[in-house]
Amino acid sequence: MTASRLATGGSAIDRSRPIRFSFDGATVHGFAGDTIASALLAGDVAVVGRSFKYHRPRGIWGAGVEEPNALVDIGGPRATPNTRATTEPARDGLVAKSVNATPNALTDRNAFLDRFSRFIPAAFYYKTFMWPDWHRFEPRIRAMAGLGKVDADWTSPGTADQINHHCDVLVVGAGPAGLAAARLASGAGLTVTLVDDQQSPGGSLGHRAGEIDDKPAAAWIAETVAALGSAGQMILPSTTAFGIYDHNLVGLNQRHFDGRPDTLWRVRPRRIVLATGAIERPLPFANNDLPGILSADAALAYLRRHAVLVGRRIVVATNNDSAYEVAEALAEAGAEVTLVDIRHDGTPAAPANVRLVKSRALASASGRQRVDGVTLDDGTRFDADCVLISGGWTPTIHLFGQAKGKLAWSEARAAFLPGDPVDGIAVAGAAAGAVSLSDVFAGVGKAFAGQGNAATPRSTGPEATGGILAAWPMPGSKGRIWIDYQNDVTVKDVELAARENFVSVEHLKRYTTLGMATDQGKTSNLPGLALMAGITGRTVPEVGTTTYRPPFTPVPLASFAGARVGELMAPVRRLPLENVHRASGAVFQEYGGWLRPAHYGGSADAERSIADEARRARQSVALFDGSTLGKIEVIGPQAAAFVDFLYYNTMSTLKPGRCRYGFMLSENGVVFDDGVLVRLDEHRFIVSCSSSHVAAVHARLEEWRQDRFGRGAVYIHNATSDMATLTVSGPNARKLLEALDLSLSLDDADLPHMAVGHGTYAGDEVRIARVSFTGDRSYEISIRADRAEPLWARLRQAGQAFDAVVIGLEALMILRAEKGFIVIGKDTDGTTLPHDLGVNGPRAKRQTEFVGRRSLFTEEASRGNRMQFVGLTVPQGEAPLPTGAHGIKRSDGRLRSQGFVTSSYQSPTLGRPVALGMIERGATRHGETIDIQHLGKISKATIATPCAFDPAGDRLHA
């Protein structure tokens, strides 16, 4: 390849603003408006990267997002790894480095791997390095894997903006189809948002010939853009529509080139027009991956947009009409051009000063670091410093596929086209298979027929023609014919996959990594599918396609994160009485996203303070701020059926004014949350879930309401932040409350355990639930959050007569562990089922459906050696067991875990340690002593019932 910059031309560059940057340490010159790729081509830089597996030299292939080879790491203040050189603007002072190359792309020391290619074909990693041990090879292999390097000195330029936007019509693509669609929609009085991934609108009209409404293409583009601007329509350049999600939500990523992070747009249009164009495919021939072999359309774009002539002796190989314009333009620019067309009949006339060779195909290319010639299938050789190939066009239907659109095979286009329409989505232009501008505008006009008075544009100049003869990779081809340039997938790799029966497209993709590179197979998928069709004797549509998934192009993680960093990502949830607790000497810690008092009395001797709080709570009465407990209201005529479906326990039999403890399960039967359900009246419940699970339970309730119940049947309201909950617990709890005027009878007959009543305090309504997480008589008083402080102060004042103690969460954890009460996520894990916790009744007796029911009867759920919830005791005088320590058992001469300690504390009331755990078959092994291992130290523990304090439960009524 002998590329150069022409003295004139280049619609995208500003010759008055020269720039200079570095690539792999060498200085590269260019102009404002250049991309890194166009500047490298202008400087005749042939090798810009190395392939992923074999480290073969790779040159620039395309001019846009389809580029598989030219990935660079950008250094400096705006450091970005794995940037596509074809889409990254060149700027003065930029530092770019090739990826996957050491020390650089031209002299990569790992190039020797290509010599061993026969030993590392597709899926070699499944078959090799197994002996003597994979882990011997793993560090080196992992060190070689991956593309790009993260700059350790990178600093964030700030948070990315995120914008929610609504419009009548979203047009994706600002080529001729997109511009025409936007103008017609605007003329119909609709609000329009037009997005395009290029910095300037026009699409293919930026380098392809065209005349519209008797105006040059450039003039028509400028006029259309001006008309849209005058109408107040939104145009977003440098913006990629990367995904279509549920209900036609479209994700956009807008790039900025002034130092700002990208902007993420969430657009909800009433209608979407996909004018996303098409991508040129390569042709199959041996060594078709050499630097200097480019897409023909890309070469034309570099010529007309950047004034870069990609070679002096150029061979253009094609199977379709689009390459003829390329050959003609290159010849006019002074290149010696040979056009090789595999077709014999139906071809356009040979362009002026172009040698046309018909009925011939390229058999191979030659060269080492760059191409130096080609050989045709009849043995004819042509010297060449650049080879341009056009194997046809693949419509960019990724977004259509993401929207659940089905594809239809077109023999005439040798490509998949959009099939049956999708509600709210129209496809126009090359993405719909249109070739000529007349066809493009006819399709757009049809989409907006009868809407507004704007005239559909007319093509009044030269028209592209769509003749094509499919040229797919053929089974048994000689030489190394590359299909996926970046991931080094060849024809032989696909043949190997077929021999090993990986003939499904999804299996083929994963076995060979075809289409799994950073370009996501934009140039390689269809040739690979066609080859598999040829190998297996099927047609291309019978082989099918892989699933289109977002994002269409890589999106920076900063765009998805937006301002959600730190507390904006996980906001600290605060108690209404936080300042009051701080004034009382509370030491705060984070528990499940809430900032809560761990204990009181300062940090000097936390262990003693916690023990003192727990002991005094058992002796008299404790005050505890339980405002974090969930208070999610479930209201409606089907509320009872709803909670029955959500809970493991039957809840519809609960009487108004009563409470019931229960589990929520995940679909896989695992315990998701536990807590108390309060029934206020026939159609109103309160879900009092775990503090750390409030948001998740609320989302879960909403999800199942939307799935099975309408708003008229059930309404969900999260009132957790509206109400404060103050807990009074201990032998003197009732006496303390009787000292307050709550306008409520506290007699056990009127307010028994697991009942709820209503009263008032200082004129404010209070709800009092008699439930206990300590095992002692307890009352939870809920009041409006903004009225909680006076009630708390009164409780503190009245409690002085009973030696009341204010306790933090650490003391509460001791009290509940003494009673064997669980904390979900601490005493359970992602495998714990309800019967592992000793709650088997609903599993055995419930006949109605509930979330997770079927999962409770699987082979795994019925396994006899499941982990079960137990208590653990240690010998007299021993220290508490370490939380996380494993119960171990010697089997076949080896130690294996048979469970683990989930909670462990020193009980000041019992004067000994208490512990809880999950142990294999633990429920049937009470009294058995097992070994406990932690950090190499082995101790003894005896399996016991989880409840170590007041097993008869007498203190609940004391």
Side-chain angles (χ1 to χ4, degrees), residues 169-430:
V169 180
L170 172 68
V171 181
V172 181
L179 288 170
R183 190 159 187 181
L184 289 176
S186 179
L190 304 174
T191 58
V192 178
T193 299
L194 174 64
V195 304
D196 192 87
D197 60 0
Q198 301 295 314
Q199 294 190 61
S200 300
S204 62
L205 293 177
H207 59 278
R208 290 279 181 176
E211 180 182 284
I212 304 167
D213 293 339
D214 298 316
K215 302 180 186 72
W220 178 81
I221 293 169
E223 178 186 279
T224 302
V225 171
L228 292 172
S230 298
Q233 309 296 4
M234 179 179 288
I235 301 177
L236 298 178
S238 305
T239 301
T240 300
F242 61 80
I244 295 182
Y245 301 86
D246 289 349
H247 312 296
N248 286 351
L249 168 66
V250 183
L252 310 178
N253 190 69
Q254 182 182 20
R255 300 193 63 194
H256 305 289
F257 303 105
D258 54 5
R260 289 181 294 158
D262 296 0
T263 297
L264 182 78
W265 292 74
R266 301 184 192 92
V267 182
R268 293 190 181 276
R270 296 180 184 274
R271 188 177 182 188
I272 303 170
V273 177
L274 300 177
T276 46
I279 294 172
E280 194 167 43
R281 299 191 295 262
L283 286 169
F285 54 93
N287 300 324
N288 59 343
D289 66 326
L290 286 173
I293 300 177
L294 286 80
S295 153
D297 188 68
L300 185 61
Y302 288 122
L303 176 65
R304 289 181 169 164
R305 295 173 185 258
H306 304 282
V308 174
L309 184 61
V310 293
R312 292 294 173 179
R313 296 191 314 279
I314 301 175
V315 172
V316 180
T318 186
N319 66 340
N320 66 91
D321 296 350
S322 67
Y324 282 68
E325 182 183 353
V326 178
E328 181 178 18
L330 294 170
E332 289 177 355
E336 178 187 324
V337 181
T338 299
L339 178 58
V340 179
D341 193 331
I342 69 170
R343 299 172 296 172
H344 182 268
D345 300 316
T347 64
N353 300 316
V354 172
R355 182 194 331 180
L356 176 61
V357 180
K358 291 186 178 184
S359 302
R360 295 269 71 89
L362 300 189
S364 65
S366 60
R368 291 180 61 82
Q369 299 283 33
R370 60 172 67 193
V371 68
D372 60 23
V374 295
T375 301
L376 306 188
D377 52 5
D378 64 353
T380 304
R381 174 179 168 82
F382 292 109
D383 292 333
D385 59 5
C386 181
V387 176
L388 307 180
I389 51 181
S390 177
W393 294 84
T394 301
T396 306
I397 37 77
H398 300 66
L399 295 176
F400 181 78
Q402 291 173 20
K404 305 296 190 296
K406 302 299 182 182
L407 306 182
W409 178 253
S410 170
E411 287 290 347
R413 295 284 180 262
F416 283 104
L417 302 180
D420 294 335
V422 175
D423 288 344
I425 297 179
V427 186

Side-chain angles (χ1 to χ4, degrees), residues 64-80:
V65 299
E66 76 281 1
E67 174 58 42
N69 300 328
L71 297 179
V72 296
D73 286 345
I74 305 296
R78 290 186 247 170
T80 309

Side-chain angles (χ1 to χ4, degrees), residues 68 272 350 600 690 720 723 740 828:
I272 303 170
Y600 293 79
S690 303
T720 302
M723 308 284 287
L740 281 65
T828 67

Side-chain angles (χ1 to χ4, degrees), residues 5 12 33 210 285 312 346 538 543 546 607 698 725 772 774 892 896 934 949:
R5 179 90 69 178
F285 54 93
R312 292 294 173 179
R538 294 178 290 172
V543 172
T546 53
E607 188 173 333
H698 183 211
T725 299
S772 178
T774 65
D892 298 327
R896 71 171 187 86
H934 181 67
F949 177 76

